[in-house]
Amino acid sequence: MFTMPAEAAEIAFHNKVAVYAILFDAVAATLKTIAADPRHLGGEIGFLAILHTWGQALTHHPHIHCLVPGGALVDSERWLACRPRFFLPVHVLSRLFRRLFLERLQAAHLAGKLRFSGTLAGLDDAEAFAGLVRQLRRKDWIVFAKPPFGSPEHVLAYLGRYTHRVAIANSRLVSANDTDVTFRWRDYRRGNAPRLMSLDPHEFIRRFLIHCLPDGFHRIRHYGFLANGCRRARLAIIRQLLVATQPAPTAATGEITRSLPRFDPTVCPCCGGILRITATLPHWRARPRPPPDTS
């Protein structure tokens, strides 16, 4: 997981398209650069990058989760597995990520791609912005690595349940009425302690809408040998090197899929009443954007 300090997150809040794109680019360049270094893996890795913009209390906390296969393709002719329970050094990733992000952020400011208002209005000034960048360079930027998933089925369950959820799962909601919405959250600063939070309905909706991405922005992106432009050819080479075959659907996969929570939008979860459509609004559709080139 790659995250940014609060000062950078505040800039992102006012410039979502520009800064979220910078975040993706910096994360991808960091992973690919360190993995390609012969002192580490010395090859091409592949990974999925997933943007999350929320913390447990639904506040603005942009960060990127990455799912990375444990190895690299070297010169398209050899598969090099990483060491057990170790992929890449997080302190090296953190420093390079900080540098690449701030370089791109400064370039965006110089090109006039960032807009500031309110308490950030002074950052339009080049000297003030440069001062903030110097401050951010002195901070530690958090990169966190977790052990791998237990099996392909666990990966499927993660992708199906976690990556397509926005801000909060239904299971965390405790109650809702005209005066407040109560939900469960975990306080990471106090040992991950479970707590309840109650918000005014308007504040709850405001926090939730913070995490609705700009129209056409891709929240999940593929890089390296998993990039859309080369994935099929690269995976064929890797399977050949690993003497692996194209995976087929299994009973276990089906069981996990069936176990995922289902929601019928035509049935009220409280009273069981059936939805009745009384009118249909005309559908407005924005011009679709092509996915970003991540190869």
Side-chain angles (χ1 to χ4, degrees):
M1 181 182 74
F2 292 78
T3 189
M4 63 178 77
E7 296 86 347
E10 192 172 3
I11 295 174
F13 184 82
H14 292 264
N15 300 273
K16 292 183 178 180
V17 172
V19 180
Y20 290 167
I22 288 172
L23 180 59
F24 267 116
D25 289 345
V27 168
T30 297
L31 282 172
K32 290 194 285 188
T33 299
I34 301 302
D37 190 328
R39 292 173 295 180
H40 301 295
L41 284 173
E44 179 190 25
I45 61 171
F47 54 98
L48 280 71
I50 305 144
L51 173 66
H52 283 182
T53 60
W54 55 86
Q56 278 279 302
L58 305 187
T59 51
H60 186 242
H61 174 57
H63 55 283
I64 284 184
H65 294 264
C66 296
L67 275 67
V68 191
L73 182 62
V74 181
D75 298 328
S76 296
E77 60 184 24
R78 182 166 62 95
W79 175 258
L80 179 62
C82 64
R83 285 182 279 167
R85 302 185 65 82
F86 180 84
F87 185 62
L88 295 171
V90 292
H91 65 283
V92 176
L93 292 171
S94 174
R95 292 171 185 171
L96 181 59
F97 169 55
R98 177 180 60 191
R99 177 169 67 82
L100 295 179
F101 182 95
L102 292 177
E103 286 176 354
R104 286 160 169 75
L105 191 67
Q106 283 186 297
H109 186 273
L110 185 63
K113 295 180 179 179
L114 302 180
R115 297 290 180 267
F116 303 102
S117 60
T119 58
L120 299 184
L123 293 180
D124 280 326
D125 178 71
E127 284 298 322
F129 189 81
L132 176 62
V133 170
R134 286 193 296 270
Q135 178 184 344
L136 288 170
R137 281 202 183 100
R138 292 192 292 267
K139 287 181 172 286
D140 291 329
W141 289 47
I142 303 300
V143 175
F144 176 70
K146 292 177 62 175
F149 288 100
S151 67
E153 289 75 22
H154 285 87
V155 176
L156 175 64
Y158 173 90
L159 291 173
R161 181 173 58 237
Y162 184 53
T163 61
H164 288 75
R165 184 175 67 219
V166 176
I168 188 169
N170 288 342
S171 58
R172 289 176 54 199
L173 296 173
V174 176
S175 64
N177 52 47
D178 292 340
T179 59
D180 57 51
V181 178
T182 301
F183 60 93
R184 300 182 186 89
W185 68 291
R186 290 190 175 274
D187 191 345
Y188 294 141
R189 296 183 178 180
R190 290 174 174 79
N192 208 27
R195 301 188 184 280
L196 293 179
M197 179 175 291
S198 295
L199 298 174
D200 173 90
H202 292 90
E203 173 61 15
F204 179 84
I205 293 172
R206 186 194 71 82
R207 292 195 188 189
F208 184 85
L209 292 179
I210 288 173
H211 312 295
C212 294
L213 294 177
D215 185 57
F217 194 89
H218 293 261
R219 190 163 67 91
I220 302 177
R221 304 187 183 189
H222 303 73
Y223 295 91
F225 62 68
L226 292 179
N228 295 329
C230 64
R231 178 168 55 231
R232 179 174 297 182
R234 291 285 202 279
L235 289 182
I237 294 172
I238 292 170
R239 289 193 181 102
Q240 185 177 14
L241 293 172
L242 295 175
V243 196
T245 58
Q246 176 73 28
T250 64
T253 300
E255 291 172 4
I256 288 181
T257 303
R258 286 192 295 273
S259 69
L260 296 177
R262 297 180 181 275
F263 173 70
D264 186 349
T266 65
V267 178
C268 175
C270 296
C271 69
I274 303 300
L275 172 70
R276 295 182 180 179
I277 299 176
T278 59
T280 302
L281 297 175
H283 180 63
W284 179 84
R285 185 174 184 178
R287 180 182 300 175
R289 299 181 186 177
D293 182 10
T294 58
S295 57

PDB file of all heavy atoms in Angstrom, residues 254-282:
ATOM      1  N   GLY A 254     -16.365 -21.439  -7.703  1.00  0.00           N
ATOM      2  CA  GLY A 254     -17.808 -21.237  -7.710  1.00  0.00           C
ATOM      3  C   GLY A 254     -18.379 -21.083  -6.320  1.00  0.00           C
ATOM      4  O   GLY A 254     -19.271 -20.267  -6.085  1.00  0.00           O
ATOM      5  N   GLU A 255     -17.840 -21.865  -5.371  1.00  0.00           N
ATOM      6  CA  GLU A 255     -18.331 -21.759  -4.000  1.00  0.00           C
ATOM      7  C   GLU A 255     -18.035 -20.393  -3.416  1.00  0.00           C
ATOM      8  O   GLU A 255     -18.862 -19.796  -2.725  1.00  0.00           O
ATOM      9  CB  GLU A 255     -17.692 -22.858  -3.148  1.00  0.00           C
ATOM     10  CG  GLU A 255     -18.185 -24.262  -3.501  1.00  0.00           C
ATOM     11  CD  GLU A 255     -17.382 -25.331  -2.782  1.00  0.00           C
ATOM     12  OE1 GLU A 255     -16.514 -24.948  -1.970  1.00  0.00           O
ATOM     13  OE2 GLU A 255     -17.619 -26.524  -3.032  1.00  0.00           O
ATOM     14  N   ILE A 256     -16.826 -19.876  -3.687  1.00  0.00           N
ATOM     15  CA  ILE A 256     -16.480 -18.550  -3.165  1.00  0.00           C
ATOM     16  C   ILE A 256     -17.374 -17.493  -3.794  1.00  0.00           C
ATOM     17  O   ILE A 256     -17.864 -16.587  -3.130  1.00  0.00           O
ATOM     18  CB  ILE A 256     -14.994 -18.243  -3.430  1.00  0.00           C
ATOM     19  CG1 ILE A 256     -14.126 -19.092  -2.513  1.00  0.00           C
ATOM     20  CG2 ILE A 256     -14.693 -16.772  -3.226  1.00  0.00           C
ATOM     21  CD1 ILE A 256     -12.653 -18.855  -2.668  1.00  0.00           C
ATOM     22  N   THR A 257     -17.602 -17.617  -5.103  1.00  0.00           N
ATOM     23  CA  THR A 257     -18.463 -16.646  -5.779  1.00  0.00           C
ATOM     24  C   THR A 257     -19.861 -16.662  -5.186  1.00  0.00           C
ATOM     25  O   THR A 257     -20.465 -15.619  -4.948  1.00  0.00           O
ATOM     26  CB  THR A 257     -18.523 -16.954  -7.284  1.00  0.00           C
ATOM     27  OG1 THR A 257     -17.198 -16.957  -7.809  1.00  0.00           O
ATOM     28  CG2 THR A 257     -19.350 -15.912  -8.015  1.00  0.00           C
ATOM     29  N   ARG A 258     -20.380 -17.870  -4.918  1.00  0.00           N
ATOM     30  CA  ARG A 258     -21.723 -17.965  -4.351  1.00  0.00           C
ATOM     31  C   ARG A 258     -21.776 -17.440  -2.924  1.00  0.00           C
ATOM     32  O   ARG A 258     -22.822 -17.002  -2.455  1.00  0.00           O
ATOM     33  CB  ARG A 258     -22.202 -19.418  -4.399  1.00  0.00           C
ATOM     34  CG  ARG A 258     -22.584 -19.898  -5.791  1.00  0.00           C
ATOM     35  CD  ARG A 258     -23.317 -21.228  -5.717  1.00  0.00           C
ATOM     36  NE  ARG A 258     -22.465 -22.286  -5.211  1.00  0.00           N
ATOM     37  CZ  ARG A 258     -21.664 -23.022  -5.982  1.00  0.00           C
ATOM     38  NH1 ARG A 258     -21.605 -22.799  -7.281  1.00  0.00           N
ATOM     39  NH2 ARG A 258     -20.914 -23.974  -5.464  1.00  0.00           N
ATOM     40  N   SER A 259     -20.632 -17.488  -2.214  1.00  0.00           N
ATOM     41  CA  SER A 259     -20.627 -17.050  -0.821  1.00  0.00           C
ATOM     42  C   SER A 259     -20.557 -15.540  -0.674  1.00  0.00           C
ATOM     43  O   SER A 259     -20.758 -15.016   0.416  1.00  0.00           O
ATOM     44  CB  SER A 259     -19.435 -17.678  -0.082  1.00  0.00           C
ATOM     45  OG  SER A 259     -18.221 -17.121  -0.552  1.00  0.00           O
ATOM     46  N   LEU A 260     -20.255 -14.824  -1.766  1.00  0.00           N
ATOM     47  CA  LEU A 260     -20.181 -13.368  -1.679  1.00  0.00           C
ATOM     48  C   LEU A 260     -21.564 -12.797  -1.397  1.00  0.00           C
ATOM     49  O   LEU A 260     -22.576 -13.315  -1.865  1.00  0.00           O
ATOM     50  CB  LEU A 260     -19.634 -12.783  -2.990  1.00  0.00           C
ATOM     51  CG  LEU A 260     -18.206 -13.183  -3.343  1.00  0.00           C
ATOM     52  CD1 LEU A 260     -17.821 -12.593  -4.692  1.00  0.00           C
ATOM     53  CD2 LEU A 260     -17.241 -12.722  -2.269  1.00  0.00           C
ATOM     54  N   PRO A 261     -21.645 -11.719  -0.606  1.00  0.00           N
ATOM     55  CA  PRO A 261     -22.954 -11.156  -0.272  1.00  0.00           C
ATOM     56  C   PRO A 261     -23.690 -10.666  -1.511  1.00  0.00           C
ATOM     57  O   PRO A 261     -23.103 -10.076  -2.409  1.00  0.00           O
ATOM     58  CB  PRO A 261     -22.598  -9.989   0.660  1.00  0.00           C
ATOM     59  CG  PRO A 261     -21.173  -9.674   0.366  1.00  0.00           C
ATOM     60  CD  PRO A 261     -20.538 -10.967  -0.021  1.00  0.00           C
ATOM     61  N   ARG A 262     -24.988 -10.947  -1.555  1.00  0.00           N
ATOM     62  CA  ARG A 262     -25.811 -10.533  -2.684  1.00  0.00           C
ATOM     63  C   ARG A 262     -26.863  -9.536  -2.204  1.00  0.00           C
ATOM     64  O   ARG A 262     -27.332  -9.596  -1.076  1.00  0.00           O
ATOM     65  CB  ARG A 262     -26.487 -11.744  -3.339  1.00  0.00           C
ATOM     66  CG  ARG A 262     -25.486 -12.724  -3.938  1.00  0.00           C
ATOM     67  CD  ARG A 262     -26.195 -13.907  -4.588  1.00  0.00           C
ATOM     68  NE  ARG A 262     -25.246 -14.852  -5.136  1.00  0.00           N
ATOM     69  CZ  ARG A 262     -24.700 -14.763  -6.323  1.00  0.00           C
ATOM     70  NH1 ARG A 262     -25.009 -13.757  -7.104  1.00  0.00           N
ATOM     71  NH2 ARG A 262     -23.843 -15.678  -6.750  1.00  0.00           N
ATOM     72  N   PHE A 263     -27.237  -8.644  -3.082  1.00  0.00           N
ATOM     73  CA  PHE A 263     -28.220  -7.626  -2.733  1.00  0.00           C
ATOM     74  C   PHE A 263     -29.185  -7.484  -3.890  1.00  0.00           C
ATOM     75  O   PHE A 263     -28.777  -7.247  -5.030  1.00  0.00           O
ATOM     76  CB  PHE A 263     -27.516  -6.292  -2.454  1.00  0.00           C
ATOM     77  CG  PHE A 263     -28.473  -5.146  -2.257  1.00  0.00           C
ATOM     78  CD1 PHE A 263     -29.256  -5.077  -1.130  1.00  0.00           C
ATOM     79  CD2 PHE A 263     -28.578  -4.152  -3.216  1.00  0.00           C
ATOM     80  CE1 PHE A 263     -30.137  -4.023  -0.950  1.00  0.00           C
ATOM     81  CE2 PHE A 263     -29.451  -3.100  -3.048  1.00  0.00           C
ATOM     82  CZ  PHE A 263     -30.233  -3.037  -1.904  1.00  0.00           C
ATOM     83  N   ASP A 264     -30.463  -7.660  -3.613  1.00  0.00           N
ATOM     84  CA  ASP A 264     -31.497  -7.512  -4.631  1.00  0.00           C
ATOM     85  C   ASP A 264     -32.044  -6.097  -4.543  1.00  0.00           C
ATOM     86  O   ASP A 264     -32.730  -5.743  -3.574  1.00  0.00           O
ATOM     87  CB  ASP A 264     -32.610  -8.532  -4.392  1.00  0.00           C
ATOM     88  CG  ASP A 264     -33.643  -8.519  -5.525  1.00  0.00           C
ATOM     89  OD1 ASP A 264     -33.598  -7.592  -6.356  1.00  0.00           O
ATOM     90  OD2 ASP A 264     -34.476  -9.435  -5.569  1.00  0.00           O
ATOM     91  N   PRO A 265     -31.738  -5.238  -5.519  1.00  0.00           N
ATOM     92  CA  PRO A 265     -32.172  -3.837  -5.425  1.00  0.00           C
ATOM     93  C   PRO A 265     -33.677  -3.654  -5.549  1.00  0.00           C
ATOM     94  O   PRO A 265     -34.184  -2.568  -5.306  1.00  0.00           O
ATOM     95  CB  PRO A 265     -31.431  -3.170  -6.591  1.00  0.00           C
ATOM     96  CG  PRO A 265     -31.196  -4.272  -7.570  1.00  0.00           C
ATOM     97  CD  PRO A 265     -30.985  -5.506  -6.747  1.00  0.00           C
ATOM     98  N   THR A 266     -34.403  -4.710  -5.948  1.00  0.00           N
ATOM     99  CA  THR A 266     -35.852  -4.574  -6.090  1.00  0.00           C
ATOM    100  C   THR A 266     -36.597  -4.908  -4.799  1.00  0.00           C
ATOM    101  O   THR A 266     -37.820  -4.792  -4.750  1.00  0.00           O
ATOM    102  CB  THR A 266     -36.364  -5.493  -7.212  1.00  0.00           C
ATOM    103  OG1 THR A 266     -36.159  -6.864  -6.838  1.00  0.00           O
ATOM    104  CG2 THR A 266     -35.639  -5.208  -8.516  1.00  0.00           C
ATOM    105  N   VAL A 267     -35.868  -5.344  -3.757  1.00  0.00           N
ATOM    106  CA  VAL A 267     -36.498  -5.721  -2.492  1.00  0.00           C
ATOM    107  C   VAL A 267     -35.953  -4.839  -1.379  1.00  0.00           C
ATOM    108  O   VAL A 267     -34.736  -4.696  -1.227  1.00  0.00           O
ATOM    109  CB  VAL A 267     -36.237  -7.208  -2.159  1.00  0.00           C
ATOM    110  CG1 VAL A 267     -36.862  -7.570  -0.816  1.00  0.00           C
ATOM    111  CG2 VAL A 267     -36.778  -8.106  -3.258  1.00  0.00           C
ATOM    112  N   CYS A 268     -36.826  -4.238  -0.597  1.00  0.00           N
ATOM    113  CA  CYS A 268     -36.408  -3.390   0.516  1.00  0.00           C
ATOM    114  C   CYS A 268     -35.768  -4.263   1.596  1.00  0.00           C
ATOM    115  O   CYS A 268     -36.385  -5.244   2.048  1.00  0.00           O
ATOM    116  CB  CYS A 268     -37.600  -2.636   1.094  1.00  0.00           C
ATOM    117  SG  CYS A 268     -37.190  -1.677   2.578  1.00  0.00           S
ATOM    118  N   PRO A 269     -34.539  -3.954   2.043  1.00  0.00           N
ATOM    119  CA  PRO A 269     -33.880  -4.782   3.054  1.00  0.00           C
ATOM    120  C   PRO A 269     -34.525  -4.667   4.434  1.00  0.00           C
ATOM    121  O   PRO A 269     -34.259  -5.491   5.308  1.00  0.00           O
ATOM    122  CB  PRO A 269     -32.447  -4.237   3.068  1.00  0.00           C
ATOM    123  CG  PRO A 269     -32.570  -2.832   2.592  1.00  0.00           C
ATOM    124  CD  PRO A 269     -33.689  -2.839   1.591  1.00  0.00           C
ATOM    125  N   CYS A 270     -35.384  -3.664   4.643  1.00  0.00           N
ATOM    126  CA  CYS A 270     -36.007  -3.477   5.958  1.00  0.00           C
ATOM    127  C   CYS A 270     -37.362  -4.178   6.070  1.00  0.00           C
ATOM    128  O   CYS A 270     -37.600  -4.952   6.994  1.00  0.00           O
ATOM    129  CB  CYS A 270     -36.163  -1.985   6.249  1.00  0.00           C
ATOM    130  SG  CYS A 270     -34.591  -1.099   6.372  1.00  0.00           S
ATOM    131  N   CYS A 271     -38.258  -3.908   5.104  1.00  0.00           N
ATOM    132  CA  CYS A 271     -39.619  -4.435   5.218  1.00  0.00           C
ATOM    133  C   CYS A 271     -39.924  -5.557   4.236  1.00  0.00           C
ATOM    134  O   CYS A 271     -40.961  -6.207   4.333  1.00  0.00           O
ATOM    135  CB  CYS A 271     -40.635  -3.311   5.034  1.00  0.00           C
ATOM    136  SG  CYS A 271     -40.689  -2.657   3.345  1.00  0.00           S
ATOM    137  N   GLY A 272     -39.031  -5.776   3.258  1.00  0.00           N
ATOM    138  CA  GLY A 272     -39.275  -6.822   2.280  1.00  0.00           C
ATOM    139  C   GLY A 272     -40.211  -6.415   1.159  1.00  0.00           C
ATOM    140  O   GLY A 272     -40.591  -7.245   0.325  1.00  0.00           O
ATOM    141  N   GLY A 273     -40.595  -5.141   1.131  1.00  0.00           N
ATOM    142  CA  GLY A 273     -41.485  -4.670   0.076  1.00  0.00           C
ATOM    143  C   GLY A 273     -40.822  -4.695  -1.292  1.00  0.00           C
ATOM    144  O   GLY A 273     -39.599  -4.651  -1.406  1.00  0.00           O
ATOM    145  N   ILE A 274     -41.633  -4.762  -2.336  1.00  0.00           N
ATOM    146  CA  ILE A 274     -41.126  -4.847  -3.700  1.00  0.00           C
ATOM    147  C   ILE A 274     -41.099  -3.454  -4.325  1.00  0.00           C
ATOM    148  O   ILE A 274     -42.050  -2.679  -4.209  1.00  0.00           O
ATOM    149  CB  ILE A 274     -42.006  -5.787  -4.552  1.00  0.00           C
ATOM    150  CG1 ILE A 274     -42.078  -7.173  -3.898  1.00  0.00           C
ATOM    151  CG2 ILE A 274     -41.446  -5.897  -5.970  1.00  0.00           C
ATOM    152  CD1 ILE A 274     -40.731  -7.847  -3.745  1.00  0.00           C
ATOM    153  N   LEU A 275     -39.996  -3.141  -4.991  1.00  0.00           N
ATOM    154  CA  LEU A 275     -39.850  -1.856  -5.658  1.00  0.00           C
ATOM    155  C   LEU A 275     -40.845  -1.741  -6.813  1.00  0.00           C
ATOM    156  O   LEU A 275     -40.998  -2.664  -7.611  1.00  0.00           O
ATOM    157  CB  LEU A 275     -38.421  -1.711  -6.197  1.00  0.00           C
ATOM    158  CG  LEU A 275     -38.149  -0.503  -7.091  1.00  0.00           C
ATOM    159  CD1 LEU A 275     -38.196   0.783  -6.275  1.00  0.00           C
ATOM    160  CD2 LEU A 275     -36.786  -0.648  -7.773  1.00  0.00           C
ATOM    161  N   ARG A 276     -41.511  -0.599  -6.883  1.00  0.00           N
ATOM    162  CA  ARG A 276     -42.420  -0.319  -7.993  1.00  0.00           C
ATOM    163  C   ARG A 276     -41.920   0.909  -8.738  1.00  0.00           C
ATOM    164  O   ARG A 276     -41.744   1.968  -8.148  1.00  0.00           O
ATOM    165  CB  ARG A 276     -43.846  -0.078  -7.485  1.00  0.00           C
ATOM    166  CG  ARG A 276     -44.473  -1.310  -6.830  1.00  0.00           C
ATOM    167  CD  ARG A 276     -45.898  -1.031  -6.391  1.00  0.00           C
ATOM    168  NE  ARG A 276     -46.510  -2.197  -5.768  1.00  0.00           N
ATOM    169  CZ  ARG A 276     -47.745  -2.213  -5.287  1.00  0.00           C
ATOM    170  NH1 ARG A 276     -48.493  -1.113  -5.355  1.00  0.00           N
ATOM    171  NH2 ARG A 276     -48.227  -3.318  -4.737  1.00  0.00           N
ATOM    172  N   ILE A 277     -41.683   0.775 -10.012  1.00  0.00           N
ATOM    173  CA  ILE A 277     -41.183   1.879 -10.826  1.00  0.00           C
ATOM    174  C   ILE A 277     -42.366   2.724 -11.280  1.00  0.00           C
ATOM    175  O   ILE A 277     -43.280   2.236 -11.950  1.00  0.00           O
ATOM    176  CB  ILE A 277     -40.396   1.350 -12.037  1.00  0.00           C
ATOM    177  CG1 ILE A 277     -39.194   0.528 -11.555  1.00  0.00           C
ATOM    178  CG2 ILE A 277     -39.946   2.499 -12.928  1.00  0.00           C
ATOM    179  CD1 ILE A 277     -38.408  -0.116 -12.677  1.00  0.00           C
ATOM    180  N   THR A 278     -42.344   3.993 -10.901  1.00  0.00           N
ATOM    181  CA  THR A 278     -43.436   4.901 -11.272  1.00  0.00           C
ATOM    182  C   THR A 278     -43.044   5.845 -12.395  1.00  0.00           C
ATOM    183  O   THR A 278     -43.904   6.411 -13.061  1.00  0.00           O
ATOM    184  CB  THR A 278     -43.876   5.727 -10.052  1.00  0.00           C
ATOM    185  OG1 THR A 278     -42.755   6.475  -9.565  1.00  0.00           O
ATOM    186  CG2 THR A 278     -44.385   4.810  -8.942  1.00  0.00           C
ATOM    187  N   ALA A 279     -41.742   6.039 -12.597  1.00  0.00           N
ATOM    188  CA  ALA A 279     -41.283   6.915 -13.676  1.00  0.00           C
ATOM    189  C   ALA A 279     -39.832   6.582 -13.982  1.00  0.00           C
ATOM    190  O   ALA A 279     -39.109   6.050 -13.135  1.00  0.00           O
ATOM    191  CB  ALA A 279     -41.418   8.388 -13.286  1.00  0.00           C
ATOM    192  N   THR A 280     -39.420   6.880 -15.190  1.00  0.00           N
ATOM    193  CA  THR A 280     -38.046   6.626 -15.606  1.00  0.00           C
ATOM    194  C   THR A 280     -37.442   7.908 -16.149  1.00  0.00           C
ATOM    195  O   THR A 280     -38.020   8.543 -17.044  1.00  0.00           O
ATOM    196  CB  THR A 280     -37.987   5.533 -16.699  1.00  0.00           C
ATOM    197  OG1 THR A 280     -38.595   4.338 -16.196  1.00  0.00           O
ATOM    198  CG2 THR A 280     -36.547   5.238 -17.094  1.00  0.00           C
ATOM    199  N   LEU A 281     -36.308   8.307 -15.587  1.00  0.00           N
ATOM    200  CA  LEU A 281     -35.621   9.501 -16.054  1.00  0.00           C
ATOM    201  C   LEU A 281     -34.768   9.158 -17.272  1.00  0.00           C
ATOM    202  O   LEU A 281     -34.214   8.051 -17.358  1.00  0.00           O
ATOM    203  CB  LEU A 281     -34.725  10.067 -14.946  1.00  0.00           C
ATOM    204  CG  LEU A 281     -35.449  10.551 -13.682  1.00  0.00           C
ATOM    205  CD1 LEU A 281     -34.429  10.973 -12.624  1.00  0.00           C
ATOM    206  CD2 LEU A 281     -36.374  11.713 -14.008  1.00  0.00           C
ATOM    207  N   PRO A 282     -34.652  10.067 -18.222  1.00  0.00           N
ATOM    208  CA  PRO A 282     -33.803   9.786 -19.394  1.00  0.00           C
ATOM    209  C   PRO A 282     -32.360   9.592 -18.963  1.00  0.00           C
ATOM    210  O   PRO A 282     -31.863  10.274 -18.066  1.00  0.00           O
ATOM    211  CB  PRO A 282     -33.976  11.036 -20.268  1.00  0.00           C
ATOM    212  CG  PRO A 282     -34.462  12.097 -19.337  1.00  0.00           C
ATOM    213  CD  PRO A 282     -35.278  11.403 -18.293  1.00  0.00           C
TER     214      PRO A 282
END
